[in-house]
Amino acid sequence: MKRILFLCTGNSARSQLAEALMRHMCRDSTATIDKFEIMSAGMAPESVDPRVYEVLNYYNVNSDNLTSVLASSLQNQHFDVVITLCDKASKECALFPDSDALIHWDFKDPKPQSGSQGFYDVFDGLKAKIALFLMLNGDNQSDTIGAVELFKIMSDPLRLRILMLIHDELALSVGDLTKALQVSQPKVSRHLALLRDSGVLHDQREGVWIFYHFPPDLPLWIRHIFDTVRNGQPALINQEKIRLSAIKNRKKPQSINSIIE
């Protein structure tokens, strides 16, 4: 079980909303309900702002047992992830030097604002951040490749286009890629070998054909990056897609599902 700590200055608004909301979202997901222990604390704790309860009650999020905690009282405990929610708190990460990960989500303090709208805005922003965090961390992730290695691989234009083509087509052969990319077979093969050896691609033989595809256990954070690049740069492989569609009698795997499942 991973221990998550939300850290803020007063532990009276943002971090309380984050603690309650993340617990609620974990309960809604059987994949994550037993994977996280969630707490919050403050550098200079204050009483929980009544508007926190208003927002949580409006969204039917359990607000029981919320209490302000002094961050220094927890400094001898280990937290897998410490998430700071304001700039002041981000400077106090030294309290938890053995944490596996330190993350900063900066949210404007809603307390000085009149009314409750600022609290609703923080709730909405936290919901999006927490949803992404749970999506990428909710299940056990394999150590396929690190971020530095991944971006080195993607920095090569040819390898990036190979990845985006396989993203769309699910599985492609060396011949398909050679014709779509209009580069030599040895060059394509060298890049495919690098991608395979890094764990980003798997290969599978069907008869005389070898198809390349993403492995089933490719970490979600990597898939998310590929999705973002593909949708953010939709014209990146236009010509390659046109050439691919023009290839007559193009071989396809007998069962793409058997490759990707």
Side-chain angles (χ1 to χ4, degrees), residues 173-240:
S173 68
V174 176
D176 295 332
L177 289 165
T178 298
K179 293 173 183 176
L181 296 163
Q182 292 190 330
V183 294
S184 69
Q185 184 271 328
K187 187 172 185 179
V188 170
S189 294
R190 285 197 302 272
H191 285 285
L192 286 171
L194 186 151
L195 291 167
R196 181 198 59 212
D197 293 345
S198 71
V200 174
L201 291 182
H202 279 184
D203 58 7
Q204 179 166 321
R205 179 179 291 276
E206 288 199 14
V208 299
W209 301 94
I210 297 178
F211 293 93
Y212 290 82
H213 59 92
F214 295 142
D217 61 348
L218 189 68
L220 283 174
W221 69 269
I222 296 180
R223 292 185 181 275
H224 190 72
I225 288 173
F226 290 164
D227 289 342
T228 300
V229 173
R230 185 69 186 102
N231 288 286
Q233 296 286 302
L236 181 66
I237 52 172
N238 277 1
Q239 294 305 311
E240 290 82 357

Side-chain angles (χ1 to χ4, degrees), residues 28 54 74 94 108 115 118 137 143 154 216 222 232 237 248:
D28 283 350
E54 174 191 333
L74 304 175
K108 183 178 180 180
N137 295 277
D143 296 326
M154 295 178 66
I222 296 180
I237 52 172
K248 295 182 179 180

